[in-house]
Amino acid sequence: MLWTLTIIFLSLLPKSSFPDLKLQMKYLDKIVHFGFYFLLISFYLYESGSVSSKSLIIKGLLFCMLLAIGTEFGQLMFSASRSFEIWDIVANIIGSFSGLIIFRTLKQFI
């Protein structure tokens, strides 16, 4: 829950709230989006205690997708300095699926 609120908060902050990084890494924004949602689904699965329940997995992925879309529309509607980007949603969804796959794979070995 706390990580979800963090994502929403950071997604709606004005761009001026973030430091101007000198390391102009290509696609850094998409990497951050990927990482946020990778962690989001991982936290969800960890807290649910079950990585084998198809129902929980579907609910977790659906929640991640809705949050990804919702935060982008939130930027469009509530932030003058942020914009809606379809590629942010794509990075979020790829991060969610990657987190699911890696979490489930690691869980088998623990």
Side-chain angles (χ1 to χ4, degrees):
M1 183 67 161
L2 185 58
W3 189 246
T4 301
L5 293 174
T6 301
I7 289 173
I8 294 168
F9 177 74
L10 292 175
S11 295
L12 296 177
L13 276 178
K15 276 191 176 181
S16 61
S17 300
F18 299 99
D20 186 20
L21 298 175
K22 298 291 183 212
L23 94 123
Q24 300 297 320
M25 187 171 142
K26 194 172 187 177
Y27 305 116
L28 177 62
D29 175 51
K30 304 309 174 245
I31 294 167
V32 170
H33 279 270
F34 175 94
F36 278 5
Y37 283 79
F38 181 98
L39 289 175
L40 180 63
I41 194 74
S42 299
F43 291 151
Y44 172 82
L45 292 172
Y46 179 79
E47 288 298 321
S48 72
S50 173
V51 293
S52 59
S53 168
K54 286 186 181 185
S55 173
L56 282 173
I57 291 169
I58 290 169
K59 286 178 187 176
L61 288 172
L62 184 59
F63 175 76
C64 288
M65 288 184 220
L66 291 173
L67 182 64
I69 294 166
T71 54
E72 287 302 311
F73 274 106
Q75 288 177 356
L76 179 67
M77 294 187 308
F78 303 118
S79 177
S81 65
R82 305 290 293 267
S83 61
F84 179 95
E85 290 187 39
I86 193 72
W87 291 111
D88 286 348
I89 295 172
V90 171
N92 296 339
I93 292 172
I94 292 171
S96 298
F97 276 96
S98 298
L100 168 66
I101 292 165
I102 291 173
F103 187 86
R104 289 187 73 188
T105 301
L106 292 176
K107 190 72 170 173
Q108 292 175 353
F109 296 108
I110 298 175

